[in-house]
């Protein structure tokens, strides 16, 4: 499968989501497994798409969580679309608002040439909101992928920041942190989802297409930061966007996320 990053990335994002045509939960009874809550990309070759289609044909059912991914394979009867299953999470804590800025980080090396620009921007945001009297909490969702390395760098640069590391057992603590935030800077995909789950204004820092595609699905109209715009973005730009409030619409995601499991339920019920 030739999907090397040396090739130019193929942009398969849609302009607007239209859910008037979505496959029913058809099951391929020759398949042996289900795939839930998946997305496609980044994509660097048409061969990748062809191979994905071949792989999907071996599964009983595949559910994709963004509409851009779904449209690439919508003709496959055993593939459907439903919003991210995290929208099914019961809110473990009431939606509260304290003077907290949550900054979700990723490994700055993901931004390659813009890595230091990314660190510089997070440092500026941290200092800006600390001076405004905010508690700034840096969150790591994946130490294995280098998030903690970025936190270590920022702690060397910035006095007064706190950190919260997801370790696989403290999801309640993570949810409480997001429920109490006033604002969120989202570098991780699921930090963006948690911001929406707890109805928080957020600014996404987009490191690949899965965030970009999901933002289209929720009609996001705020500031999005790309690797090529990190250096030109100021803390004032970010504050202006955050002050606009909830510049997204995800109400249907709360309702329809349960459809991630519709095909599985249908399959189980077929044995009754």
């Amino acid at each position: 499968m030739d999907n090397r990053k040396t090739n130019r990335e193929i942009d398969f994002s849609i302009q607007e989501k239209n859910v008037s045509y979505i496959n029913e939960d058809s099951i391929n009874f020759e398949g042996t497994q289900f795939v839930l809550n998946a997305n496609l990309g980044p994509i660097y070759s048409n061969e990748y798409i062809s191979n994905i289609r071949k792989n999907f044909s071996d599964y009983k059912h595949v559910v994709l969580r963004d509409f851009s991914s779904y449209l690439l394979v919508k003709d496959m009867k055993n593939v459907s679309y439903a919003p991210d299953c995290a929208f099914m999470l019961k809110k473990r804590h009431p939606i509260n608002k304290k003077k907290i800025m949550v900054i979700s980080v990723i490994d700055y090396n993901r931004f390659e040439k813009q890595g230091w620009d990314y660190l510089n921007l997070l440092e500026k945001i941290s200092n800006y909101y600390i001076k405004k009297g905010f508690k700034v909490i840096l969150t790591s969702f994946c130490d294995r992928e280098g998030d903690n390395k970025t936190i270590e760098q920022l702690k060397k640069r910035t006095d007064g920041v706190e950190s919260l590391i997801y370790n696989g057992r403290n999801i309640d603590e993570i949810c409480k942190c997001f429920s109490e935030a006033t604002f969120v800077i989202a570098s991780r995909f699921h930090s963006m989802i948690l911001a929406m789950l707890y109805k928080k204004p957020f600014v996404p820092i987009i490191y690949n297409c899965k965030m970009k595609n999901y933002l289209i699905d929720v009609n996001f109209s705020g500031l999005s930061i790309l690797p090529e715009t990190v250096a030109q973005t100021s803390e004032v730009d970010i504050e202006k966007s955050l002050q606009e409030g909830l510049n997204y619409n995800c109400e249907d995601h709360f309702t329809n996320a349960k459809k991630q499991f519709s095909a599985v339920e249908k399959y189980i019920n077929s044995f009754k």
Side-chain angles (χ1 to χ4, degrees):
M1 184 186 299
D2 184 13
N3 196 44
R4 291 170 294 183
K5 203 170 182 180
T6 50
N7 298 334
R8 185 173 182 177
E9 183 175 350
I10 298 172
D11 184 358
F12 62 100
S13 302
I14 57 173
Q15 296 300 312
E16 185 178 359
K17 183 174 71 170
N18 180 350
V19 296
S20 60
Y21 52 99
I22 297 178
N23 288 340
E24 297 295 324
D25 299 313
S26 301
I27 296 171
N28 171 17
F29 282 94
E30 294 182 0
T32 58
Q33 295 175 306
F34 290 86
V35 174
L36 306 181
N37 215 47
N39 62 269
L40 302 184
I43 297 175
Y44 298 98
S45 71
N46 289 319
E47 184 183 355
Y48 168 85
I49 301 172
S50 298
N51 279 281
I52 282 292
R53 294 174 67 87
K54 290 175 185 176
N55 290 340
F56 281 5
S57 66
D58 292 332
Y59 292 110
K60 284 190 181 300
H61 194 84
V62 177
V63 189
L64 298 171
R65 67 185 176 191
D66 71 80
F67 212 68
S68 295
S69 293
Y70 170 70
L71 286 184
L72 286 178
V73 289
K74 66 183 177 63
D75 58 304
M76 299 186 71
K77 299 302 182 185
N78 68 324
V79 178
S80 63
Y81 158 80
D84 193 283
C85 62
F87 281 97
M88 295 175 64
L89 280 173
K90 291 183 179 179
K91 293 186 178 67
R92 298 164 180 252
H93 303 278
I95 297 174
N96 202 348
K97 188 168 79 169
K98 299 182 179 180
K99 214 169 180 183
I100 295 174
M101 162 66 84
V102 172
I103 302 178
S104 155
V105 308
I106 59 170
D107 182 357
Y108 57 91
N109 288 318
R110 278 180 178 256
F111 288 91
E112 298 177 346
K113 292 184 292 184
Q114 293 87 12
W116 289 107
D117 294 331
Y118 173 68
L119 279 174
N120 291 339
L121 178 61
L122 296 189
E123 179 186 355
K124 287 191 294 184
I125 296 168
S126 298
N127 288 328
Y128 185 79
Y129 278 93
I130 286 172
K131 287 178 182 177
K132 285 180 168 287
F134 279 72
K135 179 192 288 188
V136 174
I137 303 176
L138 308 174
T139 62
S140 161
F141 279 37
C142 189
D143 181 24
R144 180 173 53 83
E145 294 187 1
D147 294 11
N148 290 11
K149 182 167 60 176
T150 295
I151 288 179
E152 290 167 8
Q153 284 285 340
L154 289 170
K155 282 190 165 182
K156 291 176 184 176
R157 293 163 165 238
T158 308
D159 292 328
V161 295
E162 300 181 17
S163 60
L164 177 58
I165 312 299
Y166 176 61
N167 59 21
R169 302 180 300 277
N170 61 340
I171 184 63
D172 191 67
E173 190 178 5
I174 295 289
C175 288
K176 186 174 188 291
C177 177
F178 277 81
S179 74
E180 293 179 343
T182 299
F183 303 122
V184 174
I185 304 297
S187 300
R188 279 283 175 193
F189 177 85
H190 275 106
S191 68
M192 173 182 76
I193 299 295
L194 285 174
M196 290 189 281
L197 184 69
Y198 285 103
K199 300 184 186 303
K200 305 296 181 178
F202 70 93
V203 168
I205 302 179
I206 299 174
Y207 69 91
N208 75 14
C209 63
K210 68 181 178 182
M211 290 184 78
K212 176 184 176 183
N213 291 340
Y214 212 94
L215 289 167
I216 294 170
D217 289 355
V218 297
N219 299 312
F220 183 78
S221 60
L223 173 68
S224 295
I225 303 172
L226 301 169
E228 57 267 28
T229 63
V230 167
Q232 292 78 44
T233 303
S234 72
E235 56 272 47
V236 176
D237 296 329
I238 287 169
E239 181 182 39
K240 180 179 178 183
S241 182
L242 291 172
Q243 292 292 349
E244 292 173 358
L246 305 184
N247 38 27
Y248 54 86
N249 182 1
C250 60
E251 290 308 309
D252 62 317
H253 290 235
F254 290 98
T255 305
N256 294 319
K258 62 185 179 183
K259 292 181 180 178
Q260 284 281 345
F261 299 91
S262 295
V264 174
E265 291 175 353
K266 183 176 180 180
Y267 178 68
I268 291 171
N269 290 335
S270 69
F271 293 98
K272 294 181 179 178

